[in-house]
Every structure is written in C-alpha cells, then in structure tokens.
Amino acid sequence: MAEFQVAVADPTDGQTYQHEVDGQDANRFLGRELGEEVDGGAVGLDSYTLKLTGGSDETGRPMREDVPGAQIRERLLEGGVGFNPTHDGERKRITVRGRQVSEETAQVNATIVDSDGDVRVALGLEEPEPDDETDEAADDTDDAAAEDADAEAADDAAADEAADADSDEEEADA
C-alpha cells in the first residue's frame, strides 16, 4: 500500500504544509505525472486544485519531468533538478526517477492552483475571521437597542417630571 508525504506550497503566502497520506488518499496520486492537476481533498483541502511539481523516492532521488515512467534512470545532466553545476560546461551522470508517481515515491511536491480562501483556515490551523457583514449587522442591532434604551430613559424622565409637577400642584392647592 502506498504511503508518502505531500508538501503543499501556497503561492499566496509562500508557506509549505506537510501532509502524510496513505491508503485511499495516496491512491489518488498513484499513476499521475508531474504537471498534472489533482483534487486537494486527499490532503484535507476540499475544493482546492493542486498541481504536481516534483518529488523524490525513499533514497532521495529526484523525479524529473523529462524522464518517462516511474523507473530509475541514469542521465547525463548539465543542470536542473538533481544537479547544480559549479563550472561552465560541467556535466555529471546522475540517477533520477521518472515523472510518474508510484509505490516507490516517498514525497510528492504540489502547489495550489485554484483555491476558495485561506489555506490555513481550510487545514484547521487558524480560526476563520468573522464576516464584516455579520459584525455590521450586530453593530446595527446594538445601535438600535441603545437608541431604544435612550428613548425609554427619556420617556421615564419625562414621566417622572410630570409626576413631580402634579405632586407640586397638589401641594400648592392644599
């Protein structure tokens, strides 16, 4: 059964989130090739789309887009994934893995292509921010309640003054 890490990069804030996937969630990635888009539900990002950008096997061999299949191949590289030359014209024979995700894959790198909102909220790392409309509605309700209370207080004060005036008139008549 396949089991590997998925490193999800969020291009909006530059953060990367690691997820361990196995079983049915891992099967969603098997057979896919680098550059393909997959549903983010396997890593807890429902309604997100992920693009596979890279990966490696258990020994650390990188996956390369220019190597077909999932097999290990030796390539004479001038640069790119798996080799960083230090001199002009330097080449080196490097063992790399093909572009297809397989049982031997240990890590898959992906980036978010389409999203509905904040990734940290979708992953449960942060609480969602309250809606501004809800706050405004609550403020309007509070303002209306305060105005009603002020109106009642004014009515009570007027009634008290009227009662005081009536009692003063009664005292004057007596």
Side-chain angles (χ1 to χ4, degrees):
M1 179 174 286
E3 179 179 326
F4 44 81
Q5 288 269 34
V6 177
V8 179
D10 183 8
T12 58
D13 65 0
Q15 296 289 318
T16 302
Y17 306 97
Q18 298 282 334
H19 298 281
E20 186 82 30
V21 295
D22 57 359
Q24 187 65 28
D25 291 335
N27 289 341
R28 292 184 188 184
F29 292 97
L30 292 179
R32 302 290 183 131
E33 292 188 351
L34 298 182
E36 287 188 28
E37 293 184 359
V38 296
D39 179 42
V43 293
L45 294 171
D46 296 329
S47 71
Y48 284 72
T49 303
L50 306 176
K51 179 180 178 183
L52 301 181
T53 58
S56 61
D57 64 8
E58 60 276 348
T59 61
R61 293 184 196 103
M63 296 172 69
R64 285 187 57 109
E65 281 196 60
D66 59 347
V67 179
Q71 303 88 338
I72 295 173
R73 297 278 191 241
E74 285 192 353
R75 295 285 189 236
L76 186 61
L77 302 178
E78 295 176 352
V81 176
F83 177 60
N84 188 18
T86 56
H87 307 291
D88 285 342
E90 182 179 9
R91 298 185 302 174
K92 189 173 182 182
R93 188 164 306 280
I94 301 292
T95 304
V96 295
R97 187 159 292 277
R99 64 178 167 243
Q100 188 174 25
V101 178
S102 67
E103 296 275 341
E104 290 82 25
T105 303
Q107 177 179 338
V108 174
N109 303 331
T111 187
I112 296 173
V113 179
D114 293 329
S115 64
D116 283 347
D118 189 17
V119 175
R120 295 183 62 79
V121 172
L123 293 173
L125 301 174
E126 287 182 359
E127 292 294 321
E129 293 182 14
D131 294 335
D132 291 337
E133 294 173 9
T134 306
D135 290 343
E136 290 174 8
D139 291 343
D140 292 342
T141 305
D142 293 341
D143 291 342
E147 288 174 9
D148 290 343
D150 291 341
E152 286 179 25
D155 291 341
D156 291 342
D160 289 341
E161 288 177 17
D164 288 341
D166 289 340
S167 60
D168 287 343
E169 287 177 13
E170 289 176 7
E171 286 178 14
D173 290 338

